[in-house]
């Protein structure tokens, strides 16, 4: 009886020594011993390069260990000395996280030990079939697609694009199914952020999926950011509806480079283009020469342009106007994406253009090059 008691007491002591506090984490990793003496860097997203180092340890006897505290779950990465081309992706959260690193293919590493890392592995396994299809398609058709692009073989390009979109649709369907079955899994936030940026799914359907997630993961920092993104999207869609083709363009005003307030109303011509752009926007700057040529040719016939810049640096804004020879009206609140005019017009990307007739009614949006000029000449001829 005494021996049994001693055994139980010893077991309790070991458990109490290894037990972490509620806000503590421990990342225990294993990797091939050939990495002994090399560094492992724990990273989070941020900074100029996209990743910020948080902690660094050395690999000893094929093992490494990180310890610390965490409040909310969050995406983190492990970068290995000698493997600059990729990182190990995992979810940092309270508890004992185990990571078995695949030295040859880091994305095949296995994360486990906590609920969210177990779910991460489950998601990886769910998506493995699609990943293999994607890799096989790229390997088989990459050369054919490049050849089709060079020869402008639209039949082949359309055929391959359709096939690849089918793989993307399967990827999306499997992701949606996983989210519905696992509403408490933190990885859903990461999946949904990607889908919000890249998916062709209706944003209202994505919002329904988000609403169906567990309240606890929506309370996390990343969950709150995603909620704010949906709120901004709803506001943008509402504003977009107010500036649809056929509606009268809402009036606005802001300072020009000299500090004088200029309004849309006083900038109207027989045809008016509202041009949302910025000095830092490459596609905008590349488009400017053709817009300048059109304006120089047609301004005397009634074409006016008002440029609304999403810059936040007055000097760079003014330099770009001069360098690109943009001689029409320009205004900016110097608030970048927080510009109230951009919000009023539901502008979520630039360049963005609105073409108005003589009455100030929106007759077309986001036309470029020859198509834009043709529309302007059509309106001027009326």
């Amino acid at each position: 009886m005494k021996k049994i008691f001693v055994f139980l007491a010893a077991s309790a002591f070991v458990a109490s020594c290894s037990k972490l506090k509620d806000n503590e984490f421990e990342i225990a990793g294993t990797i091939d011993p050939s990495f002994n003496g090399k560094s492992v860097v724990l990273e989070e997203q941020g900074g100029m390069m996209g990743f910020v180092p948080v902690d660094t340890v050395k690999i000893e006897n094929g093992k490494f260990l990180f310890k610390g505290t965490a409040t909310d779950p969050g995406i983190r990465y492990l970068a290995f000395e000698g493997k600059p081309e990729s990182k190990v992706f995992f979810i940092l959260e309270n508890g004992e996280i185990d990571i078995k690193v695949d030295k040859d293919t880091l994305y095949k590493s296995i994360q486990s030990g906590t609920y969210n890392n177990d779910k991460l592995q489950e998601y990886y396994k769910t998506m493995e079939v699609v990943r293999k299809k994607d890799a096989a398609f790229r390997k088989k058709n990459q050369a054919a697609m490049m050849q089709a692009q060079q020869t402008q073989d639209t039949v082949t390009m359309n055929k391959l694009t359709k096939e690849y979109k089918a793989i993307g649709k399967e990827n999306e369907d499997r992701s949606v199914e996983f989210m519905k079955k696992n509403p408490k899994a933190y990885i859903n936030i990461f999946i949904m952020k990607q889908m919000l940026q890249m998916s062709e799914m209706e944003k209202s359907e994505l919002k329904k999926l988000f609403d169906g997630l567990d309240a606890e993961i929506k309370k996390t920092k990343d969950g709150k950011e995603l909620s704010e993104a949906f709120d901004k999207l709803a506001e943008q869609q509402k504003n977009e509806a107010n500036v649809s083709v056929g509606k009268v363009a809402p009036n606005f005003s802001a300072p020009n480079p000299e500090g004088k307030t200029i309004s849309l109303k006083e900038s109207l011509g027989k045809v008016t283009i509202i041009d949302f752009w910025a000095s830092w926007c490459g596609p905008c700057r590349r488009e400017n020469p053709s817009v300048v040529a059109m304006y120089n040719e047609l301004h005397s016939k009634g074409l006016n342009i008002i440029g609304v810049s999403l810059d936040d640096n007055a000097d760079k804004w003014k330099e770009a106007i001069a360098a690109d020879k943009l001689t029409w009206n320009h205004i900016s609140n110097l608030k970048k994406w927080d510009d109230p005019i951009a919000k009023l017009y539901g502008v979520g990307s630039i360049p963005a253009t609105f073409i108005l007739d003589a009455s100030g009614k929106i007759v077309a949006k986001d036309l470029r090059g020859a198509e834009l000029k043709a529309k302007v000449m059509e309106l001027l001829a009326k």
Side-chain angles (χ1 to χ4, degrees), residues 66-79:
F66 288 96
K67 290 185 177 182
T69 58
T71 50
D72 289 340
I75 302 299
R76 297 293 187 274
Y77 305 84
L78 295 177

Side-chain angles (χ1 to χ4, degrees), residues 30 182 200 235 249 269 282 334:
T30 57
N182 302 279
E200 294 183 3
E235 180 184 3
L334 298 175

Side-chain angles (χ1 to χ4, degrees), residues 252-264 266-267 273-279 284-285 288 291-292 295 304-311 314 316-334 339 341:
F252 54 79
S253 61
N256 72 357
E258 289 74 42
K260 178 186 175 183
T261 297
I262 294 180
S263 69
L264 169 64
E266 66 187 280
S267 302
I273 298 173
I274 306 171
D275 179 29
F276 288 90
W277 74 296
S279 66
C284 303
R285 303 291 297 274
N288 278 342
V291 179
V292 168
Y295 181 78
N304 282 358
I305 300 176
I306 181 167
V308 182
S309 168
L310 302 192
D311 275 283
K316 290 183 178 179
W317 171 42
K318 295 173 185 177
E319 288 169 7
I321 292 172
D324 293 2
K325 297 180 174 59
L326 312 180
T327 57
W328 48 83
N329 281 346
H330 290 276
I331 59 174
S332 180
N333 291 293
L334 298 175
D339 186 276
I341 304 171

Side-chain angles (χ1 to χ4, degrees), residues 165-179:
K165 279 188 174 182
I167 297 173
K169 183 65 168 61
E170 183 180 351
N171 180 84
E172 186 175 277
D173 291 344
R174 283 176 176 266
S175 293
V176 169
E177 183 181 3
F178 177 87
M179 286 189 281

Side-chain angles (χ1 to χ4, degrees), residues 2-283:
K2 186 176 180 180
K3 289 181 179 179
I4 294 175
F5 175 78
V6 170
F7 173 76
L8 291 175
S11 298
F13 176 75
V14 171
S16 65
C17 286
S18 62
K19 182 174 175 59
L20 300 174
K21 294 179 181 178
D22 289 342
N23 66 336
E24 292 180 336
F25 69 82
E26 182 177 283
I27 306 166
T30 57
I31 191 170
D32 189 89
S34 62
F35 279 75
N36 285 348
K38 292 185 177 181
S39 298
V40 187
V41 183
L42 174 62
E43 299 179 337
E44 62 183 9
Q45 287 183 311
M48 293 290 291
M49 304 302 293
F51 299 95
V52 177
V54 177
D55 196 3
T56 303
V57 297
K58 292 286 187 180
I59 299 168
E60 298 179 6
N61 300 318
K63 297 179 181 180
F64 58 90
L65 184 70
F66 288 96
K67 290 185 177 182
T69 58
T71 50
D72 289 340
I75 302 299
R76 297 293 187 274
Y77 305 84
L78 295 177
F80 293 82
E81 183 182 346
K83 299 285 287 185
E85 72 282 357
S86 59
K87 305 175 189 290
V88 172
F89 174 102
F90 72 102
I91 297 172
L92 183 70
E93 62 181 335
N94 303 336
E96 297 177 349
I97 302 167
D98 182 59
I99 299 181
K100 293 180 173 60
V101 181
D102 187 309
K103 71 178 181 68
D104 298 315
T105 313
L106 293 184
Y107 77 82
K108 291 184 179 180
S109 300
I110 298 173
Q111 308 87 336
S112 62
T114 60
Y115 173 80
N116 280 305
N117 283 289
D118 288 342
K119 284 297 175 183
L120 176 61
Q121 270 303 307
E122 185 179 326
Y123 177 69
Y124 279 164
K125 289 178 181 177
T126 300
M127 305 307 292
E128 182 65 13
V129 173
V130 185
R131 190 196 68 76
K132 287 181 177 179
K133 285 184 180 180
D134 182 282
F137 180 89
R138 289 171 182 270
K139 183 178 180 179
K140 178 182 177 182
N141 297 295
Q142 186 173 13
M145 178 58 89
M146 290 179 65
Q147 177 67 23
Q149 289 173 340
Q150 291 172 358
T151 60
Q152 292 298 301
D153 181 356
T154 55
V155 173
T156 299
M157 284 192 289
N158 290 340
K159 175 179 176 294
L160 294 176
T161 299
K162 184 178 180 180
E163 290 176 10
Y164 193 64
K165 279 188 174 182
I167 297 173
K169 183 65 168 61
E170 183 180 351
N171 180 84
E172 186 175 277
D173 291 344
R174 283 176 176 266
S175 293
V176 169
E177 183 181 3
F178 177 87
M179 286 189 281
K180 287 181 176 179
K181 287 183 178 179
N182 302 279
K184 295 183 178 182
Y186 174 81
I187 188 60
N188 292 339
I189 298 293
F190 186 80
I191 298 168
M192 196 162 290
K193 278 186 174 182
Q194 289 189 319
M195 291 181 70
L196 191 58
Q197 294 176 348
M198 302 171 63
S199 174
E200 294 183 3
M201 182 185 293
E202 289 291 333
K203 298 303 184 281
S204 57
E205 292 300 311
L206 277 174
K207 181 61 165 59
K208 286 180 184 178
L209 279 173
F210 178 75
D211 291 342
L213 298 182
D214 186 78
E216 289 304 310
I217 65 169
K218 287 192 283 188
K219 289 178 184 176
T220 64
K221 177 179 176 290
D222 290 327
K224 289 176 181 177
E225 287 180 358
L226 186 55
S227 180
E228 289 172 3
F230 276 114
D231 290 342
K232 287 180 180 178
L233 182 63
E235 180 184 3
Q236 180 182 328
Q237 289 175 331
K238 179 182 176 182
N239 290 336
E240 283 176 351
N242 293 331
V243 291
S244 58
V245 172
K247 298 280 184 74
V248 174
N251 192 36
F252 54 79
S253 61
N256 72 357
E258 289 74 42
K260 178 186 175 183
T261 297
I262 294 180
S263 69
L264 169 64
K265 187 176 181 180
E266 66 187 280
S267 302
L268 292 174
K270 189 174 181 180
V271 178
T272 307
I273 298 173
I274 306 171
D275 179 29
F276 288 90
W277 74 296
S279 66
W280 45 262
C281 170

